Amino acid sequence: MRRILERLEALDRRIIFVFIFLSIALPLLLPVNMEFSVTPPVKSFYDAIESLPPGSKVLVSCDYDPGSMPELFPMNVAAFYQLLSRDLRVITIQLWATGTLLTERAMSEVLEDLPDKEYGVDWVDLGFKEGREVVMVSMGTSIPKTFPSDLHGTKVKDIPIMEGVNTFDDVAMLVNISGGLPGTKEWVLQVQSRYHVMLGSGCTAVSAPEFYPYVQSGQLVGLLGGMKGAAEYEKLVRRPGTAQRGMDAQSVSHIIVFLFILIGNIAYFSTKGMKKRLKV
Amino acid sequence: MRREIPIAICFLAGFSFILEYFIPHKQVLSVFETIRQWAIIVIAFAYVLGIANIVRINFHAIQRKQRDWPYKVVLVLGVFFMITVGVFFGGIGEETIFGWVYYHAQYPLQATMFALLAFFIASAAFRAFRVRTFEAGLLAVTAVLVMIGRVPVGEALWKQFPDFTEWIMNVPQLAGKRAIMIGAALGAISTALKVLTGLERTYLGGE
């Protein structure tokens, strides 16, 4: 018995890897579609967009890379879908060079469902600009000067959607899909606190706790945290995507991690007790 | 003068951004707009400097056939290949060569690196969450509650689990987080003032 417990305490990590692999792969192959409710930060993000009058312009900054794509891409797609299906005008930018092609892909997925939406009229991609916080602040003085042309090189003054868009005063809301730095924290510090623009954020699960203070202070109108946040948001916009499909896998893998923590502690305390008894 | 001039530039640039933040008048902002444009240009030039640095360091390593030099060849070739296809072969877009390389090389590589985290985090959790002390127990219990409460299976076990997890996030977690943020902000202000006034000069190298 003691030997088994000692083996469990120092379990080979490859065994853990196998269990984690199976706990992710099997639910993806055999989904049961577990039910879940929507948490308040996600609901308030959704409600903030719903409250905007049709025709309002929304700036979406897609600042992430393929590493955080499983969590952030579904919420990016869902956000584009909600914005465009509500007849809001979408202006996208990227402060991460790796975000440009992901934004393009997210938008093309949405346009399959909303084929009547026209580039330059309903949405525009101003592309990537290096400069991080300086770009954010610069947009507060002049968006056309910070982004003089769109991703394809068309002058901003020749793009209908950009008519009347000069500063943050001319956008109804700012949405940030944040994979790290620069991201939501910088948008709050540099833009929201200075220009008081309505800001909503979608971020990775690991960085969500960092942004809860901003939700409570009202600096963020809503927060989509990780794949669960994305799945809840997909549920609200009624467009099931990869986040909802990933919920079963995430549930099972979390249970597996919990069981390993439990096994580790049982083995630890049992062997500790046995060692004490042997000493006595 | 080799030290005084950079310190003076740092002081002027730093204080201009502070002034801009605290005087958000339109006319003041338009004055600082030029400085911001300079900053964007300087940051863009940092890329050139970065590429030069990558080439310099890796070229030496390749020349001397240091450890892992074949990887460095791939790195240098990759840098120039992406610049070339981006600038001369159709720019950036899903249908371009740049897009193809992005989706067939960078995308799977980055996704793989991040996916590996799931395995290492599980392994680390198994070893790290041993309840050796009261504090460790508190950490382990909270971690498990949040972990289970934030996935659908938690809600299936107990209907109020997501609400309970939100309470943990909104009250104890937030209190701790806010304290850390305020502490870090005070530290950042102090460091920034030391840099701007020239008391902290490590960024100049040497000292």
Side-chain angles (χ1 to χ4, degrees), chain A residues 57-175:
Chain A
K57 286 158 186 171
V58 177
L59 183 74
V60 184
S61 185
C62 307
D63 310 325
Y64 64 105
D65 61 9
S68 45
M69 204 179 158
E71 292 181 282
L72 302 182
F73 188 76
M75 57 178 80
N76 196 168
V77 172
F80 281 159
Y81 181 77
Q82 189 192 3
L83 291 165
L84 288 177
S85 60
R86 286 214 65 252
D87 282 333
L88 296 163
R89 309 276 181 262
V90 179
I91 302 163
T92 72
I93 60 161
Q94 301 90 41
L95 299 180
W96 285 36
T98 43
T100 307
L101 286 164
L102 299 179
T103 307
E104 192 184 2
R105 184 168 276 193
M107 188 55 90
S108 62
E109 269 193 28
V110 170
L111 293 176
E112 282 173 19
D113 294 342
L114 306 165
D116 57 322
K117 298 295 171 188
E118 200 182 327
Y119 183 80
V121 178
D122 298 297
W123 69 282
V124 69
D125 187 356
L126 300 182
F128 162 71
K129 185 92 173 180
E130 185 49 88
R132 298 153 61 131
E133 289 96 324
V134 183
V135 172
M136 295 175 184
V137 178
S138 191
M139 290 172 77
T141 316
S142 173
I143 294 173
K145 276 186 185 166
T146 314
F147 287 90
S149 57
D150 73 351
L151 182 67
H152 312 291
T154 311
K155 295 276 179 214
V156 156
K157 61 177 169 53
D158 300 326
I159 302 169
I161 189 178
M162 292 303 290
E163 199 182 312
V165 177
N166 197 34
T167 65
F168 289 119
D169 291 339
D170 307 311
V171 293
M173 187 180 172
L174 205 158
V175 174

Side-chain angles (χ1 to χ4, degrees), chain B residues 23 42 74 91 110 112-114 121 150 173 180 202:
Chain B
I23 314 172
V42 169
V74 176
Q110 261 191 294
T112 305
M113 286 301 291
F114 204 75
I121 285 174
R150 287 182 79 82
Q173 186 278 141
I180 293 167
T202 44

